Structure formats: structure tokens, C-alpha cells
Amino acid sequence: MALFEVTLILLLIAVALAALSRRLEIPYPSLLALAGAGLAFLPGAPMIEIDPELALALFIAPVLLDAAYDTSLRDLHRYRLSLVLLALGAVVFTAVVVAFVGWKMAGLPIAAAIALGAIVAPPDAVAASTVLNQFKVPHRLTAILQGESLLNDATALLIYRIAVSAAIGSLMLKDAVPVILLSTVGSVAAGYLFGRFSLLTLTRIEDAASSTVVQFAGTFAVWIIADRIGLSAIITIVVYAITIARTAPRQMSARRRVSTYSVWESAVFVLNVLAFVLMGLQARSIVGRLSGEGQGDAFVFAATVLAVVIVARLVWVLGYVAVIRRFARFDSEEQRRDAPTFRGAVLVGWCGMRGLVTLVAAIALPAGFPGRDPIVLAAFAVVLGTLVLQGMSLKPLLRRLNFERDTTVDREVAQARVAIMQAALDVLSRKTTAAAAVVREQYEAQRLVAENPEDAQAATEYDRLRLYAINRQRDTLQELRRNGTIGDEAYHRLEEEIDWAELAASPAGRFQPLTTY
């Protein structure tokens, strides 16, 4: 019961912190990490252990699917070189350097040291994106960071699973290569097949609540099945999500889509909060077990790992950008313009905040894992340190780097908006009724707005009149319920209809997605 109460309090605190982060223009995970750290010093906080397999499935599966669902295949292909160098090269480089430090400094077994390296290697783009979106940095950088955040999870967690298996004696490191190859190929095929099967199921469910439940159940089922048959659950989930993301939105009704996106956004937020709660409680129990000289050594080791993680990423990113720019001298002028810059390298290198994946991977270590306490403490220090040091300094850094505002996405949205308005006009051109004429006139007005990107959020005269009328409708509906003419069921049904009408008439509702998920 104590854990439940603490979790409820932390959820409410997290909501307040999210509002505060928007006001201060800093990543909300940074404040969430500080709140989780505060649990380690909270008197009377409960001690808790969570099953490792449950931790990975509960936290990682939905978050990975959520990130993969939004992944742009076009951007993955366009920036494939940078993504490979970051999602594969940077992860392996960081894992190796950290593993060496863990082996030399803390005396960890090789497999356990590699597991530590894999835990702290993958950055999380969520914290960075909240700040980057405010400054409209070059789209290339945001696309690379988001793509890296997805792919590096798969790389790091694959290394993590193999290292953990080797540490507990169920796999020899020398046998890891064939396991990786088999796991990768089989997981890609399984993810695609699971995705196609899921599409057949989801298209037959009309109820929004049932559809959302099936999506969550399907996500956990894919993870569990892949894990049970020896595949990489991470790669399987990523491919599964990308497969359904290409087709499912067009086959879902608007009501199901809006409901589903809202639920997933809330669920990911709650999972982040719970992960920081569990990590804070874990850190409390670890600090309690460590005493005397051992406690000091553990804190020094955790601080060293934090420093190594930050420096290793900067060295790797600046190093490969220097190499690419050196060879770019022999390319055409257009290719030289597209080459990565050192300003961009500094930003990408500094956007190395660790988040949910690092937290959960550390929590998921088995109870008897060699060096578990210093590993978990180091992971917590890396998450807290990177979110606070890098997350809170990201805004001043962006001001210092002074990137030109990138409107690539805005231009693409404006172009597509004009095209879809014209498509509506074309299909209505064959209709000659009075109602069709009114609708055509509305679409023509909206197309004029869409053709002027600088005024893209301006409402048309029709929208202003509709919003004016809708406001009166709400007053009347409220009065009908107040005087007892209608009951609550009728009230809420009509309220929902008015909500949809307001979304359709509002520029923010019509021209902006309700969520990015």
C-alpha cells in the first residue's frame, strides 16, 4: 500500500513538474529525475524489488513501440550514415570504454562490465526534443537524434541481454556473434509478420476502448513471444511498430485514432514516472546496503562513469564529423553543403541525456548479478547527471550555437495542406447541390489560408462564425442540464458532438496534430 500511495503522490508531482518545465523551458525528465532522487532520502519510503523480465516488458515494450510508431523511414534512409555511426558506433564505443572503466576501477567481471556499458550507452531523445522544438534547429539534427534514440535502444539492449546471459553463465561471449546474427534476422521477420497479423485484427474492432486495450495487449504479447522463442524482443517490437504505423492510421476511424493517441501519450508519461520512482527506491536500498569505505568508493565510481559517458559521446561525435568533413573536400559543392558541421556535432554530442531505457535496464538486472549494486547506482548517477547537467544547459548552449531557424517541416505541412484541400475541392466539383456549394466555399477559404504559410493559423470567416455559434450551443446545453430538461447521459453525448465540431472549426485543432504519437 505504501508504494501505491507514494506512486500516486509522485504522479501528481510529475504533473506539476511538467507544467513547471514548460514555464522554465527545460526538459521535464530533468525535473522528474530530481524528484526520483529525492525518494532516496525520503524517510519511510518502501523497499521494493521488481522481477527483471516484468520490468523490461512493462516499461520498454510500450515506450519502444511508441517511439518506433513515429519513426520516419524517409529520414532513416536519408541520414543512414550518421545513424549507423551513432546508433551502432557510438553505442559500442561508449559500452567498451565504460566496460573498461568498470573492469579496471570496480573490479567487475568482463560480462558484468559490458552489461554496465550497454546500460548507460543509449541516449534518450525525449528530453532533448522538448527543447530543440522550441528553437527550430536544423531538421537534419532532430531527425538524426530521434532516429538514433530508437535504433540505439535496440543495439544497447541486444548487447545488454547477451552480457547478462554471459554473466549468469547461460551464454558464452565467444558464442555471441551467431546469436546476434540469428536474433537480428529472425526478429526482423517476426516483427513484420506480427505487424501484418495485428493489422488484420485492429481493422475489425470499431470500439475505441477495445481497440486501445488490444493494442497494449498485442504489444506485450509480441514482446513475450519474441523473448520466449529466443529472438530479440527489442528489434521485433521496433519492426512490428514500423509495420503497423505505415497502414493502421488510414484504416482506423478518427474517433479511435484520437482516443488511442491520447491514451498512449498518457501511458508513456506514467511509465516514465514509475521508472523514476522505482529507481529512487532502488537507490535508497543500495545506499543502505553500502556502508563505510565501500559507500565512498561506489559514489566515486558512479561519478567516474558519468564523466566517461559524457566525454565518450563528445569524442566519438566530434571525431567522426572531423573525418567526414575531411573526405567531403573531394565531393561536389552540394555534398559539401550537406556535410555535418562542428556546431551540429557539438549539439548532437551534448544531447546525450539518458532516460527510461537506462533506468529499466538497470532495474532489470537479476538480484544475484555480479556487482549489481554499484552498477545500478552508476546507472542512476548517469541518468540524473546527464538530465540535470546536459538537459538544463541545453537551452543556453542552443543560444550560444545560434542555429538559423529551420522551417523544413512547416513548409512540408503547408505544401501538403494545400494539396489535401485541393483534393477535397476536386472531388466536390462533381456535386451540384446547394449543400455541396457551401462546403466547396468553405474548403476554398481554407485553401487560401493554407497557401499563406505565414498566416497558416488564421481562422476563416466561416470558422469564426462556427466557433461563435458553438459557444452559444455550449451555454444552451449547460442550461438544459441545469434545469433538468436532459440528463447527464444526453448531456455528455451532445457535449462530445460539440467538441468534435469545435476541433473541426478551430485552426489549432484542424491544422495541428493533437499529439505526435
Side-chain angles (χ1 to χ4, degrees):
M1 188 64 180
L3 176 62
F4 181 67
E5 294 167 354
V6 169
T7 303
L8 285 180
I9 294 172
L10 260 293
L11 284 173
L12 294 177
I13 292 175
V15 173
L17 291 178
L20 179 62
S21 69
R22 288 190 293 270
R23 180 178 295 273
L24 299 177
E25 296 183 334
I26 59 176
Y28 89 85
S30 299
L31 297 180
L32 201 58
L34 289 173
L39 281 179
F41 306 98
L42 186 66
M47 299 293 183
I48 183 172
E49 298 291 339
I50 186 170
D51 180 73
E53 295 301 323
L54 173 61
L56 287 172
L58 177 62
F59 292 101
I60 300 298
V63 172
L64 267 183
L65 182 132
D66 179 70
Y69 196 88
D70 290 334
T71 298
S72 168
L73 292 179
R74 182 197 68 174
D75 290 341
L76 288 181
H77 181 264
R78 178 178 296 176
Y79 307 121
R80 57 190 179 276
L81 176 59
S82 295
L83 288 173
V84 169
L85 289 172
L86 286 171
L88 184 61
V91 167
V92 172
F93 179 71
T94 303
V96 169
V97 174
V98 171
F100 180 79
V101 172
W103 175 57
K104 280 291 189 180
M105 184 173 180
L108 296 175
I110 293 295
I114 294 175
L116 170 62
I119 288 171
V120 300
D124 184 0
V126 173
S129 63
T130 57
V131 178
L132 297 180
N133 291 337
Q134 299 168 2
F135 285 82
K136 296 287 186 181
V137 302
H139 175 67
R140 170 192 174 91
L141 298 181
T142 56
I144 288 174
L145 286 170
Q146 290 169 355
E148 179 206 3
S149 179
L150 173 68
L151 300 177
N152 66 16
D153 290 345
T155 303
L157 290 176
L158 187 59
I159 298 172
Y160 167 83
R161 297 302 290 265
I162 292 174
V164 170
S165 298
I168 62 179
S170 60
L171 176 70
M172 299 297 291
L173 284 177
K174 62 183 180 63
D175 301 325
V177 173
V179 170
I180 291 174
L181 293 176
L182 179 62
S183 176
T184 302
V185 175
S187 299
V188 170
Y192 177 79
L193 293 176
F194 283 136
R196 300 306 301 179
F197 177 77
S198 179
L199 288 171
L200 295 176
T201 305
L202 290 174
T203 54
R204 287 169 169 76
I205 302 175
E206 292 300 327
D207 178 64
S210 299
S211 176
T212 304
V213 170
V214 169
Q215 289 178 46
F216 274 98
T219 301
F220 292 123
V222 168
W223 179 282
I224 293 170
I225 293 172
D227 190 57
R228 291 285 174 84
I229 62 179
L231 299 177
S232 168
I234 301 99
I235 297 176
T236 305
I237 282 288
V238 169
V239 177
Y240 167 77
I242 292 176
T243 301
I244 61 176
R246 309 301 294 180
T247 308
R250 187 64 182 89
Q251 298 179 353
M252 296 172 64
S253 65
R255 184 182 301 274
R256 287 169 56 200
R257 188 164 52 251
V258 172
S259 173
T260 298
Y261 291 174
S262 299
V263 172
W264 273 94
E265 183 178 16
S266 300
V268 170
F269 178 79
V270 171
L271 288 174
N272 272 278
V273 174
L274 292 178
F276 281 103
V277 169
L278 288 172
M279 179 54 81
L281 298 177
Q282 292 267 314
R284 176 185 176 85
S285 63
I286 290 170
V287 171
R289 287 195 294 267
L290 295 172
S291 60
E293 185 178 348
Q295 189 179 76
D297 292 341
F299 280 113
V300 170
F301 174 63
T304 303
V305 171
L306 169 61
V308 168
V309 164
I310 294 175
V311 173
R313 179 174 175 85
L314 285 170
V315 168
W316 178 268
V317 176
L318 291 171
Y320 87 70
V321 167
V323 172
I324 290 177
R325 289 186 63 83
R326 184 175 182 83
F327 283 101
R329 294 183 303 172
F330 306 103
D331 295 332
S332 64
E333 183 177 349
E334 182 179 354
Q335 289 174 318
R336 286 198 300 271
R337 283 200 307 268
D338 292 337
T341 64
F342 282 110
R343 280 196 305 167
V346 170
L347 178 61
V348 171
W350 195 247
C351 287
M353 289 78 80
R354 270 57 175 180
L356 185 62
V357 172
T358 295
L359 287 178
V360 176
I363 293 172
L365 287 173
F369 192 81
R372 185 183 191 278
D373 283 354
I375 289 176
V376 174
L377 188 62
F380 187 44
V382 168
V383 172
L384 179 62
T386 55
L387 284 175
V388 173
L389 293 176
Q390 294 180 304
M392 292 188 173
S393 63
L394 190 55
K395 183 178 176 181
L397 176 64
L398 284 167
R399 294 192 188 280
R400 182 79 175 179
L401 294 175
N402 194 27
F403 288 105
E404 294 182 4
R405 289 179 64 84
D406 191 317
T407 59
T408 301
V409 176
D410 294 336
R411 291 196 304 270
E412 291 180 356
V413 169
Q415 181 182 3
R417 187 178 293 144
V418 173
I420 62 177
M421 294 299 178
Q422 188 60 51
L425 289 170
D426 292 342
V427 78
L428 289 170
S429 63
R430 295 186 292 273
K431 304 294 182 181
T432 57
T433 64
V438 173
V439 175
R440 276 199 306 272
E441 195 172 355
Q442 292 180 352
Y443 273 113
E444 286 170 354
Q446 293 176 11
R447 186 188 61 181
L448 289 176
V449 173
E451 287 175 339
N452 297 279
E454 70 281 355
D455 196 29
Q457 300 304 313
T460 66
E461 180 64 23
Y462 296 101
D463 294 330
R464 284 192 287 270
L465 288 173
R466 289 168 67 189
L467 291 172
Y468 178 77
I470 285 170
N471 188 52
R472 179 57 182 163
Q473 284 181 306
R474 289 192 184 279
D475 293 340
T476 302
L477 183 62
Q478 185 72 21
E479 179 62 28
L480 289 172
R481 185 173 70 163
R482 186 183 299 113
N483 62 29
T485 302
I486 62 174
D488 278 19
E489 183 176 352
Y491 172 83
H492 289 302
R493 186 175 299 179
L494 290 169
E495 180 186 47
E496 183 180 16
E497 292 179 6
I498 294 175
D499 286 343
W500 283 105
E502 183 174 341
L503 283 174
S506 169
R510 184 178 67 248
F511 291 153
Q512 295 180 358
L514 292 177
T515 174
T516 58
Y517 294 92

